Amino acid sequence: MPKGANQKFKLYYLMKIMLEKTDDEHSITMPEILTELERYQVSAERKSIYADLQALEKLGVEVIGEQVGRTYYYHVGSRQFELPELKLLVDSIQSSKFITARKSNELIRKLESLCSEYEAKKLQRQVYVSGRIKTMNESIYYNVDSIHNAITENKKIMFQYFQWNLKKEMELRHNGEMYHISPWGLSWNDENYYLVGYDSDDQMIKHYRVDKMLKIRMSDEPREGKKYFEKFDIGTYSRKNFSMFGGKEERVRLLMDNQMAGVVIDRFGKDVSMVPVDDNHFSISVDVVVSQQFFGWVFALGKGVKIIGPESVVQQVNQEIKRLVEQYNME
């Protein structure tokens, strides 16, 4: 049999065919394998294919042969990623606000290459998340990588920070001056990615929306603030900062209806201590950054929750209520 033009790539194309054309629900026969190889300008005999399928096994591609009647059918068994795992990754990408629509499509196409062409069609799905608006900053994908590189190299980063104005234009903060921050971690909170780092000038921990960072570059200066992060837990930090808005951290006491137990666990985790007050209520003491966003969370729970301490925070709540009454006074 004359050799095809791509004969030296025979094993590669055989692997490609098996991965793309077969899965647990779709198999291929030996004549079909030979036909597919011919499309890649590779000629082969049955005997050599048997040996090549065994070689694929050694390369980590599990090929299962099953006899049905007088015909043998072959398909790839276990893969690096199972279909349910890929579906989960696709759903995460599509529902992630911080990944642009274009970058989402690119990532999903790459995930489709990890399964058969039949399973790939099942990944072409739309996940709808209420209120989701994809970010318009394409560079976030590379911002995250730059931040991780700086953390690995133990260096500060420099960047510009912007906000949107009424004309829907990027407006640089601090007159466009560069921020100099020591990056220590990234937090995914309320559908946004945040850099958590140390500001040497203000000597405090701060956070920044990654999709609002521009022109990130690594500095030659080593990171600072190590002592602040030795026992720092970014997950705890995110729970304290409602919607990542700043404010003063306080130990706040809340009185809650028993039916709010699930809300408490969802927000603060199972380690929070819920102390029974009476048959219908319990109290908790939690560290939170007191802000309007925190008050908004409390108000949204209605009669089910009440701030009972400390007195300074109760006063702030009363001031916020007074402000809302004045703002929406219809008289």
Side-chain angles (χ1 to χ4, degrees):
M1 177 180 291
K3 293 185 177 181
N6 293 321
Q7 203 66 26
K8 60 183 177 181
F9 300 116
K10 176 185 172 187
L11 190 60
Y12 166 75
Y13 284 122
L14 177 61
M15 180 174 67
K16 180 178 172 66
I17 291 166
M18 296 305 299
L19 290 174
E20 292 181 355
K21 299 292 182 180
T22 76
D23 53 44
D24 288 337
E25 297 179 359
H26 300 86
S27 299
I28 192 170
T29 64
M30 185 60 69
E32 290 171 334
I33 292 176
L34 296 174
T35 299
E36 290 295 330
L37 283 172
E38 288 177 0
R39 293 179 181 176
Y40 292 109
Q41 295 184 313
V42 174
S43 58
E45 297 179 351
R46 287 173 176 264
K47 186 176 180 180
S48 66
I49 296 299
Y50 295 136
D52 290 335
L53 291 176
Q54 292 178 353
L56 289 182
E57 292 274 359
K58 295 180 180 180
L59 293 175
V61 180
E62 180 189 25
V63 178
I64 298 174
E66 296 176 322
Q67 185 174 3
V68 179
R70 305 178 73 176
T71 305
Y72 259 94
Y73 293 86
Y74 303 88
H75 73 275
V76 172
S78 61
R79 296 171 182 259
Q80 187 173 4
F81 287 94
E82 299 297 330
L83 183 59
E85 295 173 329
L86 292 175
K87 287 181 178 180
L88 180 62
L89 291 173
V90 168
D91 290 354
S92 298
I93 291 169
Q94 289 193 327
S95 62
S96 295
K97 180 180 176 181
F98 70 88
I99 306 177
T100 64
R102 190 177 74 86
K103 184 56 68 175
S104 294
N105 291 332
E106 288 181 6
L107 291 173
I108 292 170
R109 281 198 297 271
K110 291 178 180 179
L111 289 177
E112 289 175 356
S113 68
L114 299 176
C115 61
S116 72
E117 60 185 27
Y118 308 102
E119 292 176 330
K121 294 177 181 178
K122 297 179 181 180
L123 295 182
Q124 296 168 5
R125 47 210 255 142
Q126 291 295 324
V127 179
Y128 295 97
V129 180
S130 178
R132 184 194 70 186
I133 300 176
K134 283 285 192 178
T135 180
M136 289 172 281
N137 185 358
E138 180 70 30
S139 64
I140 184 174
Y141 191 76
Y142 305 99
N143 287 356
V144 171
D145 188 53
S146 297
I147 292 169
H148 277 301
N149 287 338
I151 292 174
T152 301
E153 297 293 328
N154 197 37
K155 298 291 185 180
K156 289 184 180 180
I157 59 173
M158 302 170 62
F159 59 89
Q160 290 179 316
Y161 204 54
F162 76 86
Q163 60 188 7
W164 295 104
N165 60 24
L166 291 176
K167 297 180 180 179
K168 302 178 183 178
E169 298 170 336
M170 292 183 182
E171 190 174 85
L172 294 178
R173 302 185 67 174
H174 290 182
N175 296 318
E177 293 182 10
M178 302 294 288
Y179 287 66
H180 294 72
I181 300 296
S182 298
W184 287 93
L186 287 161
S187 175
W188 189 353
N189 185 284
D190 195 24
E191 294 193 77
N192 291 306
Y193 238 144
Y194 291 87
L195 160 69
V196 180
Y198 179 73
D199 187 324
S200 302
D201 293 335
D202 292 338
Q203 297 185 346
M204 62 183 296
I205 295 173
K206 294 184 178 181
H207 58 264
Y208 303 87
R209 280 262 301 268
V210 177
D211 59 305
K212 293 186 176 181
M213 299 167 65
L214 300 173
K215 299 180 180 179
I216 295 180
R217 67 175 186 267
M218 191 186 304
S219 169
D220 293 329
E221 298 180 33
R223 286 189 302 173
E224 296 180 319
K226 182 178 180 179
K227 65 178 182 179
Y228 291 90
F229 286 88
E230 287 177 344
K231 296 182 179 180
F232 184 82
D233 184 89
I234 290 182
T236 301
Y237 178 82
S238 297
R239 287 195 297 271
K240 292 178 182 178
N241 288 268
F242 283 71
S243 297
M244 298 301 279
F245 275 78
K248 182 181 179 181
E249 184 174 326
E250 298 270 10
R251 184 75 172 177
V252 176
R253 298 194 305 278
L254 301 173
L255 178 67
M256 311 190 75
D257 289 351
N258 287 345
Q259 63 183 6
M260 293 294 171
V263 174
V264 171
I265 292 173
D266 287 344
R267 178 71 215 191
F268 301 105
K270 288 187 176 181
D271 292 335
V272 66
S273 178
M274 295 185 284
V275 182
V277 174
D278 54 40
D279 290 342
N280 300 313
H281 301 86
F282 65 91
S283 67
I284 62 172
S285 294
V286 290
D287 295 321
V288 302
V289 173
V290 178
S291 64
Q292 289 185 335
Q293 282 65 38
F294 167 62
F295 294 147
W297 178 78
V298 172
F299 295 158
L301 296 177
K303 295 181 179 180
V305 58
K306 179 181 179 181
I307 298 174
I308 57 176
E311 184 60 30
S312 60
V313 177
V314 174
Q315 290 178 3
Q316 289 183 59
V317 174
N318 287 325
Q319 291 173 1
E320 180 65 12
I321 293 172
K322 181 179 179 181
R323 183 190 68 79
L324 290 171
V325 170
E326 293 176 350
Q327 182 174 341
Y328 292 97
N329 188 358
M330 301 299 293
E331 297 179 3

